[in-house]
Amino acid sequence: MSLVVREMAESEVDLVIDYFHASTPEHLELIGVDPARLPRREDWRAYYAFVFQQPLERRETLLLTWLDDERPVGFSSADKISFGQHAHMHLHVTTSDDRRRGLGVEAVRRSVGLYFEQLRLKRLFCEPHAFNAAPNRTLRSAGFRYLKTHVTVPGPLNFRQPVTRWVITRPQKLDS
């Protein structure tokens, strides 16, 4: 495994769009996504074109690509960004063949580092569907701390669902 996590280029946003549009209804339900709420592909591309024109300090979202041997295997996104303060992250391994290979924990750890650096965050939250064991296990293994389980609509693609809220805080730098 030669995992690389980096900021996604605008030309790569179809990785995100295709992931959601190609997912089975069962998979979308597992991750808490309502298929009726998915934007049309061209509308989603137009949205990302707008996002990529914004300076990082004003972006609504930041996308990261996960590559294994230069092949896209997943992605992460941050939204609900309060630059310099906090954001919410999402994590997705894009194909079932790449799940359960041990990529997730390391990809999340590297994503956290990039989010802290790029967005100058103090805290990063993640709220996966409470009944989706894989991301909850991954977050715990990657160093996130459990906060609570509650019912909410986590985002514009989601239906009302129980979610587990996790947080990780930026390590404090030690003075020499």
Side-chain angles (χ1 to χ4, degrees):
M1 174 172 67
S2 63
L3 183 67
V4 171
V5 175
R6 62 166 171 74
E7 194 169 338
M8 186 179 290
E10 183 179 350
S11 62
E12 298 173 309
V13 299
D14 279 338
L15 175 67
V16 176
I17 297 166
D18 291 345
Y19 166 74
F20 286 104
H21 278 279
S23 288
T24 65
E26 295 80 15
H27 183 70
L28 291 175
E29 183 176 347
L30 177 66
I31 64 173
V33 171
D34 179 351
R37 294 184 182 190
L38 293 177
R40 294 180 325 157
R41 291 173 186 268
E42 55 273 16
D43 293 340
W44 219 341
R45 280 188 207 95
Y47 167 74
Y48 283 134
F50 172 78
V51 165
F52 276 87
Q53 291 174 4
Q54 304 304 308
L56 197 54
E57 302 82 37
R58 294 205 340 250
R59 283 197 189 168
E60 292 181 358
T61 189
L62 178 61
L63 302 171
L64 305 179
T65 301
W66 299 348
L67 303 160
D68 183 28
D69 292 327
E70 300 182 21
R71 182 180 60 87
V73 293
F75 64 92
S76 177
S77 61
D79 62 8
K80 301 179 186 174
I81 299 167
S82 176
F83 193 84
Q85 296 298 316
H86 56 82
H88 285 245
M89 78 171 284
H90 308 271
L91 54 138
H92 301 279
V93 176
T94 52
T95 67
S96 57
D97 289 346
D98 288 317
R99 296 183 189 119
R100 295 182 186 89
R101 287 186 44 219
L103 296 167
V105 173
E106 187 58 29
V108 167
R109 285 182 180 140
R110 293 182 191 190
S111 296
V112 166
L114 283 172
Y115 289 136
F116 280 150
E117 178 185 320
Q118 295 293 319
L119 301 172
R120 299 190 181 104
L121 301 177
K122 295 177 182 169
R123 291 175 307 175
L124 184 61
F125 296 95
C126 191
E127 290 188 324
H129 193 298
F131 299 141
N132 188 352
N136 286 287
R137 208 173 24 246
T138 297
L139 292 165
R140 182 182 322 108
S141 297
F144 279 73
R145 183 173 50 91
Y146 170 83
L147 292 178
K148 67 178 182 176
T149 300
H150 65 114
V151 176
T152 189
V153 178
L157 302 180
N158 303 110
F159 52 81
R160 187 171 172 79
Q161 61 193 272
V163 298
T164 306
R165 180 177 290 171
W166 297 88
V167 68
I168 193 165
T169 55
R170 183 181 200 123
Q172 299 296 313
K173 292 182 181 179
L174 299 174
D175 294 329
S176 330

